[in-house]
Amino acid sequence: DQQVKQNSPSLSVQEGRISILNCDYTNSMFDYFLWYKKYPAEGPTFLISISSIKDKNEDGRFTVFLNKSAKHLSLHIVPSQPGDSAVYFCAANIQGAQKLVFGQGTRLTINP
Amino acid sequence: NAGVTQTPKFQVLKTGQSMTLQCAQDMNHEYMSWYRQDPGMGLRLIHYSVGAGITDQGEVPNGYNVSRSTTEDFPLRLLSAAPSQTSVYFCASSLAGTGTLSYTFGSGTRLTVV
């Protein structure tokens, strides 16, 4: 039973435009949601997180939105740059534990 | 500032062999964990530790052992490797504070069991 889902395996966006990556979850016992970026042959790199008590968090070009009623979160990247091409993972932390549950990932390609 | 260091980066094992994947962190994080990543899937939790001397199972613990004798180190042991354990393994350390949560991952160990 997949508790965290990224339904889009891939996304292609033109350089300079907005990239929107989506994530859905089924468990209400998550206290933090995190986004990671991963290049081939490297470990995941932390991008941004949001507490379950907030609905928005912003850091530079990256903004994460959390819609608790819909159990949905999204990552917005504005403007998109070629270096943003990577696989993006959504992850949720189980409340009261240091345990992450990951989505399957979305491969983002930024086209010049 | 090394962060989380994993060794080796690559390993090929024969079925039935044993080995230990090493993980060390220099950030004084209490929490450490091991994940595996398989093609088309997200990372899945194998084992985790909330501090020295304390470990627990994650989602996919079978075939793996861990121990945590120091804050810095969290080795993952494969007692009898199987082809199903072919995967990329990531170690992470984490720190929770008021209103924040941060995980740092190592660069991974790519393991092939033949």
Side-chain angles (χ1 to χ4, degrees), chain A residues 1-3 99-102, chain B residues 34-36 41-48 56-62:
Chain A
D1 180 28
Q2 190 78 20
Q3 298 184 66
K99 298 165 69 171
L100 285 179
V101 180
F102 280 82
Chain B
W34 278 101
Y35 293 81
R36 60 178 286 173
M41 302 182 72
L43 283 70
R44 292 182 293 166
L45 181 65
I46 305 171
H47 283 285
Y48 66 102
D56 205 347
Q57 297 181 349
E59 182 185 355
V60 288
N62 292 340

Side-chain angles (χ1 to χ4, degrees), chain A residues 32 34 36 38 41-44 46 49 89 93 97-100 102-104, chain B residues 31 35 37 40-43 45 48 90 94 96 99-101 103 105-107:
Chain A
Y32 286 93
L34 303 88
Y36 281 86
K38 188 179 180 306
E42 294 184 12
F46 173 75
S49 66
F89 288 99
N93 187 73
Q98 295 276 306
K99 298 165 69 171
L100 285 179
F102 280 82
Q104 308 95 310
Chain B
Y31 303 94
Y35 293 81
Q37 184 191 11
M41 302 182 72
L43 283 70
L45 181 65
Y48 66 102
F90 292 101
S94 56
T100 65
L101 177 65
Y103 282 78
F105 283 83
S107 58

